[in-house]
Each structure stands twice: as structure tokens, then as C-alpha cells.
């Protein structure tokens, strides 16, 4: 059963992994959340300026780094951002 509060939420998902986007889109839509998806961080500028999303969930490790995206969105204002990553560093990267 959809959550009443979630049903009014519009979320933008940004990731360069199409399989992850489809998985997350399906999971969130099952809870009544309206989802926009893209593999390109440049699309989120339009989402923010036209007010079509309340929240953006973005991958940290994309061609446009998640922290650079955060800085850009702070300049545009008006939307919250969650940055996440499924990246697991190798042993060499941990040292």
C-alpha cells in the first residue's frame, strides 16, 4: 500500500548504471513515489529549475562526480540531494 506522504514526493535518480536506475525506480514507485531517471547529471539542472523534483538521489562515482553535482545544485538551490555509492575499493586503494 502506498505511503500517503511518499505519494506526493517527486524524486530524480541519477546514475550511469541503467540496471541500478531501473531497480531503484521500481522499488520507489512501489511506494507511490513519482520518479524521473537519467544517466546524465546535466538533466538534473532542468529538474531543479523547473521544480519537477523535490529530491535527487545521485551516484557518487559518475563522469560528473557526486560532490561536483552537489556544489552545482547548491548554486541552483531549491532541492535536496542524497549522494550514494556502491563502490567497493580494492585492497590497493584502501592502503
Amino acid at each position: 500500500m502506498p505511503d500517503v506522504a511518499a505519494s506526493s514526493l517527486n524524486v530524480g535518480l541519477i546514475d550511469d548504471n541503467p540496471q541500478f536506475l531501473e531497480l531503484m525506480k521500481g522499488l520507489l514507485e512501489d511506494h507511490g513515489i513519482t520518479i524521473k531517471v537519467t544517466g546524465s547529471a546535466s538533466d538534473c539542472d532542468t529538474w531543479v529549475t523547473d521544480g519537477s523534483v523535490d529530491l535527487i538521489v545521485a551516484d557518487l562515482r559518475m563522469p560528473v562526480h557526486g560532490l561536483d553535482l552537489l556544489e552545482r545544485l547548491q548554486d541552483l538551490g531549491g532541492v535536496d540531494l542524497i549522494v550514494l555509492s556502491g563502490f567497493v575499493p580494492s585492497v590497493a586503494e584502501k592502503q
Side-chain angles (χ1 to χ4, degrees):
M1 181 160 118
D3 182 334
V4 174
S7 66
S8 63
L9 188 62
N10 298 303
V11 175
L13 298 175
I14 306 168
D15 199 305
D16 54 351
N17 181 328
Q19 292 84 10
F20 179 78
L21 285 175
E22 287 305 309
L23 173 68
M24 289 301 296
K25 181 177 189 250
L27 289 171
L28 294 171
E29 285 178 336
D30 285 348
H31 291 281
I33 299 170
T34 302
I35 304 296
K36 291 183 174 234
V37 298
T38 185
S40 170
S42 61
D43 291 338
C44 74
D45 292 355
T46 303
W47 295 346
V48 172
T49 56
D50 71 10
S52 62
V53 297
D54 306 305
L55 171 70
I56 293 176
V57 178
D59 185 14
L60 179 66
R61 297 177 59 103
M62 296 186 297
V64 172
H65 195 277
L67 296 179
D68 294 331
L69 178 61
L70 174 62
E71 189 174 300
R72 194 163 85 207
L73 291 177
Q74 285 176 331
D75 291 340
L76 291 172
V79 70
D80 291 322
L81 173 68
I82 296 172
V83 180
L84 52 85
S85 181
F87 174 73
V88 178
S90 68
V91 173
E93 291 172 311
K94 291 180 183 178
Q95 297 175 358

